[in-house]
Amino acid sequence: MNPRQQKDIATIFQNIPFLSCLSSEERQDIYMHIILKECQKNDILLYEEEHAHYMYLLLSGQVKVIQLNEEGKEHILAIHKKGHYFGEMSFIDGKTSPATVVAQEKTRVGLISRDVFVNHILTKPKCVDVIIKLLCERLREAWLKISNTDFLNAEQRLWNVFKDLSEKFGKHDSQGVMIDLEITHQDIAGLCSTSRETVTRFLNTARKNGYIEIRANKKLLLTNDCLKKIHLM
């Protein structure tokens, strides 16, 4: 691992609550065991119902977390970019992965094995306390998503998706919030359980009303009027 790669991993550690609480010496012990891997677009990093052997740290690129229904329709549970992580849940409960993870572009990951996770993280009470809090937060988020799917119409779900994307990937400027994410209409449809055609109609209407602008690389700018609208919902 070269100095730049170690710096990238150290930065990610600082942003993961159950790793940032470790001492520098404890983190250094984990660095020594991290495996680096490069994936190409559409490579599958983790299959649904597969036993995860690693926790994944995203050093660059972008992945989507998906499930397929009986008709083969893709439902996107989450999108992750540089600095995010996934795969640790299977280490905690011993069960298989609840979803498939697919690279949406060329992606570099750092892998932490199950043995390292168990011996260097789960043996630390301070880490376990943080993990429990994170699991509670995820449970609340899951309840909210289920509620949104059951009780909100497509337009309301779409506004909620953009609110969530702005909070996770937004970069603020004087004109609003740029969603720093390359995302297609199909991706957006998968995030809120609707059709691509519905997303296209929604975006066209939002653009006409001055709520959304399409910028370079198909990135979306949520205008200040849009931010007022979604934060009042």
Side-chain angles (χ1 to χ4, degrees):
M1 186 185 303
N2 62 44
R4 180 175 180 178
Q5 291 169 334
Q6 184 161 329
K7 183 179 179 181
D8 287 342
I9 290 174
T11 300
I12 294 176
F13 269 47
Q14 288 294 338
N15 293 322
I16 299 177
F18 59 83
L19 296 179
S20 63
C21 65
L22 295 170
S23 69
S24 58
E25 292 80 10
E26 291 169 330
R27 292 196 294 269
Q28 193 65 42
D29 287 341
I30 298 176
Y31 296 162
M32 295 171 57
H33 298 282
I34 291 177
I35 302 167
L36 301 179
K37 181 179 179 180
E38 189 171 284
C39 304
Q40 303 303 316
K41 183 177 181 179
N42 295 324
D43 281 356
I44 296 178
L45 286 75
L46 187 61
Y47 285 93
E48 184 176 355
E49 300 302 328
E50 178 182 57
H51 282 282
H53 299 290
Y54 299 100
M55 172 181 167
Y56 296 74
L57 310 175
L58 268 173
L59 305 179
S60 67
Q62 180 176 308
V63 303
K64 59 181 177 180
V65 184
I66 65 170
Q67 287 182 331
L68 299 177
N69 64 17
E70 293 180 355
E71 290 76 35
K73 184 178 179 181
E74 182 180 286
H75 175 54
I76 300 179
L77 303 179
I79 293 176
H80 295 306
K81 286 193 67 176
K82 178 180 179 180
H84 291 191
Y85 64 96
F86 59 90
E88 79 290 350
M89 282 182 60
S90 295
F91 291 170
I92 297 170
D93 62 12
K95 298 186 182 299
T96 57
S97 171
T100 296
V101 182
V102 184
Q104 293 185 287
E105 60 189 46
K106 187 175 181 179
T107 298
R108 290 188 305 116
V109 294
L111 308 177
I112 297 177
S113 72
R114 179 183 180 85
D115 286 344
V116 172
F117 190 89
V118 170
N119 294 325
H120 292 264
I121 298 171
L122 290 186
T123 54
K124 307 290 192 303
K126 56 188 175 184
C127 295
V128 174
D129 287 344
V130 175
I131 288 172
I132 291 172
K133 291 177 182 177
L134 288 174
L135 290 176
C136 290
E137 289 177 9
R138 289 183 184 178
L139 182 58
R140 292 180 185 276
E141 290 177 1
W143 286 341
L144 181 59
K145 285 184 179 181
I146 292 171
S147 175
N148 287 346
T149 301
D150 289 344
F151 299 110
L152 300 182
N153 61 37
E155 180 178 348
Q156 291 170 322
R157 295 200 304 273
L158 279 161
W159 283 123
N160 277 343
V161 164
F162 283 110
K163 181 178 181 180
D164 185 54
L165 291 175
S166 70
E167 291 171 350
K168 291 181 178 177
F169 304 104
K171 291 187 175 180
H172 291 258
D173 63 24
S174 60
Q175 296 179 303
V177 172
M178 178 74 73
I179 297 177
D180 187 24
L181 192 71
E182 292 187 24
I183 188 168
T184 67
H185 289 197
Q186 189 61 56
D187 291 335
I188 297 170
L191 282 168
C192 63
S193 300
T194 191
S195 68
R196 182 180 60 80
E197 293 76 14
T198 298
V199 172
T200 299
R201 288 195 298 270
F202 172 87
L203 289 175
N204 287 338
T205 300
R207 289 174 67 185
K208 289 178 183 177
N209 292 334
Y211 291 136
I212 292 176
E213 297 178 12
I214 311 296
R215 295 296 179 87
N217 298 323
K218 298 182 179 180
K219 292 184 179 180
L220 301 176
L221 174 76
L222 307 186
T223 66
N224 289 318
D225 286 341
C226 176
L227 296 179
K228 293 176 184 177
K229 179 179 180 66
I230 61 179
H231 285 295
L232 288 174
M233 295 181 68

